[in-house]
Amino acid sequence: MLVVFFIMVVGVGVGIGVRSIPHFRHVGKWISGAIYFLLFLLGREVGTNDQLLSSLSTLGIQALLITSGALVGSVFFAWGIYKFLFQNDER
Protein backbone atom coordinates (compact mmCIF):
# COMPACT_ATOMS: atom_id res chain seq x y z
CA MET A 1 0.00 0.00 0.00
CA LEU A 2 2.90 2.30 0.67
CA VAL A 3 4.08 1.82 -2.91
CA VAL A 4 0.68 2.88 -4.25
CA PHE A 5 0.73 5.99 -2.06
CA PHE A 6 4.26 6.84 -3.19
CA ILE A 7 3.30 6.47 -6.87
CA MET A 8 0.30 8.73 -6.31
CA VAL A 9 2.43 11.40 -4.60
CA VAL A 10 4.93 11.27 -7.48
CA GLY A 11 2.02 11.61 -9.93
CA VAL A 12 0.76 14.69 -8.11
CA GLY A 13 4.23 16.17 -8.28
CA VAL A 14 4.51 15.48 -12.00
CA GLY A 15 1.02 16.91 -12.54
CA ILE A 16 1.96 20.12 -10.77
CA GLY A 17 5.12 20.33 -12.83
CA VAL A 18 3.50 19.86 -16.26
CA ARG A 19 0.26 21.79 -15.79
CA SER A 20 1.67 24.85 -17.55
CA ILE A 21 2.58 22.85 -20.67
CA PRO A 22 -0.24 23.22 -23.26
CA HIS A 23 0.11 19.64 -24.58
CA PHE A 24 -0.94 18.25 -21.20
CA ARG A 25 -4.16 20.27 -20.87
CA HIS A 26 -6.32 17.47 -22.35
CA VAL A 27 -4.86 14.60 -20.36
CA GLY A 28 -8.12 14.29 -18.39
CA LYS A 29 -9.90 12.86 -21.44
CA TRP A 30 -7.20 10.21 -21.83
CA ILE A 31 -7.38 9.37 -18.14
CA SER A 32 -11.17 8.98 -18.32
CA GLY A 33 -10.78 6.64 -21.28
CA ALA A 34 -8.18 4.59 -19.42
CA ILE A 35 -10.44 4.33 -16.37
CA TYR A 36 -13.38 3.17 -18.51
CA PHE A 37 -11.15 0.56 -20.13
CA LEU A 38 -9.91 -0.68 -16.73
CA LEU A 39 -13.51 -0.89 -15.47
CA PHE A 40 -14.38 -2.94 -18.55
CA LEU A 41 -11.49 -5.32 -17.84
CA LEU A 42 -12.58 -5.59 -14.20
CA GLY A 43 -16.10 -6.49 -15.30
CA ARG A 44 -14.73 -9.09 -17.69
CA GLU A 45 -12.68 -10.65 -14.90
CA VAL A 46 -15.70 -10.77 -12.58
CA GLY A 47 -17.81 -12.30 -15.33
CA THR A 48 -15.31 -15.10 -15.95
CA ASN A 49 -14.75 -15.94 -12.26
CA ASP A 50 -17.15 -18.80 -11.44
CA GLN A 51 -16.41 -18.73 -7.71
CA LEU A 52 -17.18 -15.03 -7.49
CA LEU A 53 -20.38 -15.35 -9.54
CA SER A 54 -21.65 -18.20 -7.36
CA SER A 55 -21.25 -16.10 -4.20
CA LEU A 56 -22.52 -12.85 -5.73
CA SER A 57 -25.83 -12.90 -3.85
CA THR A 58 -24.06 -13.18 -0.48
CA LEU A 59 -21.57 -10.49 -1.43
CA GLY A 60 -24.40 -8.24 -2.61
CA ILE A 61 -26.19 -8.51 0.72
CA GLN A 62 -22.98 -7.76 2.61
CA ALA A 63 -22.27 -4.78 0.36
CA LEU A 64 -25.80 -3.48 0.90
CA LEU A 65 -25.48 -3.78 4.68
CA ILE A 66 -22.08 -2.10 4.76
CA THR A 67 -23.28 0.71 2.49
CA SER A 68 -26.44 1.25 4.52
CA GLY A 69 -24.47 1.34 7.76
CA ALA A 70 -21.99 3.84 6.33
CA LEU A 71 -24.80 6.04 5.04
CA VAL A 72 -26.74 6.02 8.31
CA GLY A 73 -23.57 6.64 10.32
CA SER A 74 -22.51 9.53 8.08
CA VAL A 75 -25.91 11.19 8.27
CA PHE A 76 -26.06 10.71 12.05
CA PHE A 77 -22.60 12.17 12.68
CA ALA A 78 -23.11 15.03 10.20
CA TRP A 79 -26.34 15.92 12.01
CA GLY A 80 -24.57 15.75 15.37
CA ILE A 81 -21.71 17.95 14.20
CA TYR A 82 -24.18 20.43 12.72
CA LYS A 83 -26.11 20.60 16.00
CA PHE A 84 -22.92 20.92 18.05
CA LEU A 85 -21.05 23.47 15.94
CA PHE A 86 -23.49 25.45 13.83
CA GLN A 87 -26.76 25.86 15.70
CA ASN A 88 -27.15 28.84 17.99
CA ASP A 89 -28.02 28.26 21.58
CA GLU A 90 -31.52 29.79 21.79
CA ARG A 91 -32.15 29.44 25.51
Side-chain angles (χ1 to χ4, degrees):
M1 189 57 130
L2 192 58
V3 173
V4 173
F5 180 73
F6 178 72
I7 291 171
M8 194 165 107
V9 169
V10 170
V12 168
V14 169
I16 290 171
V18 300
R19 68 180 163 183
S20 62
I21 300 173
H23 288 68
F24 289 101
R25 297 238 181 235
H26 303 289
V27 171
K29 293 178 185 177
W30 287 96
I31 291 173
S32 293
I35 290 172
Y36 295 147
F37 181 68
L38 289 171
L39 286 171
F40 170 77
L41 291 177
L42 178 65
R44 186 187 62 83
E45 285 296 318
V46 168
T48 58
N49 189 336
D50 292 333
Q51 183 181 5
L52 185 63
L53 285 177
S54 66
S55 63
L56 199 56
S57 63
T58 305
L59 292 173
I61 291 171
Q62 289 174 353
L64 180 65
L65 290 174
I66 291 170
T67 303
S68 299
L71 180 67
V72 168
S74 295
V75 168
F76 175 73
F77 282 108
W79 173 78
I81 289 173
Y82 174 77
K83 289 291 239 184
F84 182 71
L85 294 177
F86 298 110
Q87 269 201 336
N88 297 333
D89 190 20
E90 297 182 9
R91 292 182 212 176

